[in-house]
Amino acid sequence: MCSFPPGEMVVVTRRNTYFVDPDVAPEDKFNIVYWLVILVGFGVLLPWNMFITIAPEYYVNYWFKQDGEETWYSKEFMGSLTIASQLPNAAINVFNLFLIIAGPLIYRVFAPVCFNIFNLAIILCFVVTVEPTHDAMRWFFWLTIFMATSINFSNGLYENSVYGVFADFPHTYIGALLIGNNICGLLITFVKIAVTYCLFNMPRLVAIVYFSISLGILIICAVALFFITKQDFYHYYHQKGMKVREEADTHRPSPSILWTTFKNCYGQLFNVWFCFAVTLTIFPVMMTVTTRGKNGFIDKIISENDEIYTLLTSFLVFNLFATIGSIVASKIHWPTPRYLSLAIIARALFIPVFFFCNYRVETRAYPVFFDNTDVFVGAGILMSLSHGYLSALAMGYTPNVVPSHYSRFAAQLSVCTLMIGLLTGGLWAVLIENLIDKPNIF
C-alpha cells in the first residue's frame, strides 16, 4: 500500500509521479519555463511564417511566373495560401474547444508537432527533387495548397491546446507565447534575408536551406515542450487549474460552460478577432505586392533587388515591430480592458492607407495617393507595432476577465477567435485583391 505526503497534490504521468505542495508555488528557477514557453510559441506560428516568407520568391516568382510574366497561379497563390492556412486552422480550433480538456496532453500537443515535422520533411523533399516546368505548374500549385492545409489543420489543434494549457499559468506566460509567436516571424525573416543575400538569384537553393532551418526550429520547439512537462512549476499550475475546475464542476467542456465563458469575455474576444482581421487584411497579401515608390529616403538606401525590398519593407518591418509591441505589452497594460476596443477599432484606418499606396500599381483602377516609400514603411511600422501591443493585451486580458475556473476555456476561445480573425482578414484581403482592378466599386 502506498502513502503520499499529506497536503500535497499528486500528479501522475505515464512514467513519473510528482508531489506538489498546493500552498507553495514552485519557483521558476532562472525563468527556465518562461524561456521554454517562448520557444514553444515559436512553433505556434512557424508553419504560417514559413510559408508566407518564402512564398513571394520561391512559389510566386520562381514557380508560377513564366518569364517574369504573371499567370493565374502567381496572382492567386498568396490569397489561396492565406485561405488554405486559416480556414482549417479556424475549423479545428472550434472542434477542439469540446475536446482539449478531456484528451491527454501528449495527443493534443506533441502529436501535431510530430505530424508537422513529417509534413515539412515531405515539402523539403519536393523542393529538392522537383524543378518548375509549365506542365508541373498546375499540380504543384494544388499540392502546395494541400500541404499548407494539412499543416495548418494540425497546427490549429496544437495552438488551441497550448494556449489552453498555459492559461492556468501566471499572466506573463500567455504573454511569453505571444512573444514567441512574433520572435518566430522575426527569426524566420532574418534567416530568409541572410539566405537570400548569400544565395543571390538561386531561389531553389534558398528554399532548400530555408525549409531545412525551419525543420530544425520545429524540432527544437518539440524538445522545449517536452522539457516543460518535466518541471515541477508546470505540474503545480496544471494541477491547480484542474483542481479549480473540478471543484466548480467545469473540468469537462460543454456548450453551456463555453457559452457562460463567452458571455464573460465577449468584449475581449471581439478585440482579438478584429485586431487580427485588420492585420491579416494588410499583411502579407497587400504589403508584399506593394512596389517601391518613386521617391523617399528609404527607397534610396534599400537594395534595388525586389526580393530584398519586400523582405525588408514587409516581412522585417512587420515581424520586428510586432515583436517589440508584444514585449512592451508584457510591461505596460494600457488601455484597460474596458477601453481597449477603441484603440483596436481605430486600426481599421490602416486598410485604406495601404490600399492607396503602390498596391498592385500595374493593374489597379484607382489612383495612388501615397507614392512615397517612406509613407508605406511608416504605416507598416505603426500597423505592426500596434498589432503586437494590442493583440498581446487582448489575448492576455481574455482569461483574466473571467472567474478562474473558466480561464482555460477563455484562453481556448481567444485562440479560436484569433483563428477566425485571421480567416476573416484573409477573406477581406482576397476580396480587396479581386476588386483593386475593377472601377466603380465604392
Side-chain angles (χ1 to χ4, degrees), residues 26 32 220 394:
I32 186 170
I220 292 172

Side-chain angles (χ1 to χ4, degrees), residues 83-374:
I83 300 302
S85 298
Q86 304 311 330
L87 182 58
N89 224 330
I92 193 61
N93 266 272
V94 174
F95 181 73
N96 195 44
L97 284 172
F98 298 93
L99 299 176
I100 175 67
I101 307 301
L105 178 66
I106 187 72
Y107 296 150
R108 301 304 173 84
V109 177
F110 285 108
V113 175
C114 294
F115 182 71
N116 278 351
I117 290 173
F118 173 75
N119 276 331
L120 187 52
I122 292 177
I123 291 173
L124 185 58
C125 289
F126 274 104
V127 174
V128 171
T129 59
V130 181
E131 295 186 9
T133 64
H134 177 74
D135 293 337
M137 191 179 295
R138 180 179 181 181
W139 70 259
F140 192 79
F141 178 94
W142 292 112
L143 174 67
T144 303
I145 296 301
F146 173 79
M147 293 301 297
T149 301
S150 176
I151 286 177
N152 283 279
F153 189 86
S154 173
N155 200 64
L157 177 62
Y158 169 71
E159 182 169 8
N160 191 280
S161 302
V162 164
Y163 274 92
V165 168
F166 291 109
D168 292 329
F169 283 52
H171 173 80
T172 53
Y173 289 82
I174 288 288
L177 281 173
L178 291 164
I179 291 172
N181 292 171
N182 291 307
I183 292 178
C184 172
L186 183 61
L187 177 64
I188 289 295
T189 301
F190 280 132
V191 167
K192 180 63 169 57
I193 291 173
V195 171
T196 302
Y197 267 116
C198 295
L199 303 173
F200 179 73
N201 204 27
M202 303 173 68
R204 186 184 179 199
L205 189 55
V206 167
I208 291 172
V209 175
Y210 175 81
F211 280 124
S212 298
I213 293 174
S214 298
L215 180 60
I217 294 173
L218 197 59
I219 293 172
I220 292 172
C221 294
V223 173
L225 189 58
F226 175 79
F227 275 105
I228 287 174
T229 62
K230 299 300 179 182
Q231 306 300 313
D232 287 344
F233 184 84
Y234 161 80
H235 288 287
Y236 170 82
Y237 283 103
H238 174 67
Q239 189 65 17
K240 183 179 179 182
M242 293 294 292
K243 184 177 180 180
V244 168
R245 284 185 289 276
E246 287 176 358
E247 291 176 349
D249 196 26
T250 59
H251 59 289
R252 289 184 179 274
S254 69
S256 62
I257 289 174
L258 292 174
W259 175 244
T260 302
T261 306
F262 175 82
K263 289 191 295 185
N264 278 275
C265 63
Y266 68 88
Q268 298 310 314
L269 294 177
F270 167 82
N271 290 336
V272 172
W273 170 75
F274 197 72
C275 187
F276 280 91
V278 168
T279 297
L280 209 75
T281 301
I282 298 167
F283 178 84
V285 177
M286 293 182 73
M287 290 184 69
T288 56
V289 293
T290 299
T291 54
R292 64 174 70 233
K294 297 178 181 178
N295 50 60
F297 174 75
I298 294 175
D299 182 63
K300 295 177 182 178
I301 63 174
I302 290 181
S303 168
E304 293 183 1
N305 180 277
D306 290 339
E307 302 298 338
I308 298 298
Y309 175 82
T310 300
L311 282 170
L312 294 179
T313 61
S314 296
F315 291 103
L316 181 60
V317 163
F318 178 79
N319 289 304
L320 175 61
F321 288 96
T323 301
I324 293 173
S326 63
I327 293 173
V328 172
S330 68
K331 307 295 182 182
I332 302 173
H333 302 149
W334 183 89
T336 61
R338 183 176 180 180
Y339 298 104
L340 183 62
S341 59
L342 298 178
I344 286 179
I345 292 172
R347 293 184 73 249
L349 294 174
F350 283 118
I351 296 177
V353 170
F354 283 94
F355 184 90
F356 288 107
C357 287
N358 285 327
Y359 171 57
R360 292 204 173 274
V361 68
E362 295 178 355
T363 60
R364 63 183 292 133
Y366 300 91
V368 173
F369 294 157
F370 308 114
D371 186 44
N372 194 308
T373 303
D374 296 349

Side-chain angles (χ1 to χ4, degrees), residues 28 33-42 44-45 159-182 228 233 237 272 276 326-327 329-330 333 388-401 406-415 418:
D28 184 8
V33 174
Y34 181 83
W35 291 108
L36 288 174
V37 171
I38 290 178
L39 275 177
V40 170
F42 271 51
V44 170
L45 291 184
E159 182 169 8
N160 191 280
S161 302
V162 164
Y163 274 92
V165 168
F166 291 109
D168 292 329
F169 283 52
H171 173 80
T172 53
Y173 289 82
I174 288 288
L177 281 173
L178 291 164
I179 291 172
N181 292 171
N182 291 307
I228 287 174
F233 184 84
Y237 283 103
V272 172
F276 280 91
S326 63
I327 293 173
S330 68
H333 302 149
Y389 180 74
L390 296 174
S391 65
L393 287 183
M395 293 290 290
Y397 285 158
T398 303
N400 286 281
V401 297
Y406 292 131
S407 61
R408 175 173 285 192
F409 303 109
Q412 289 178 264
L413 282 172
S414 69
V415 178
L418 184 159

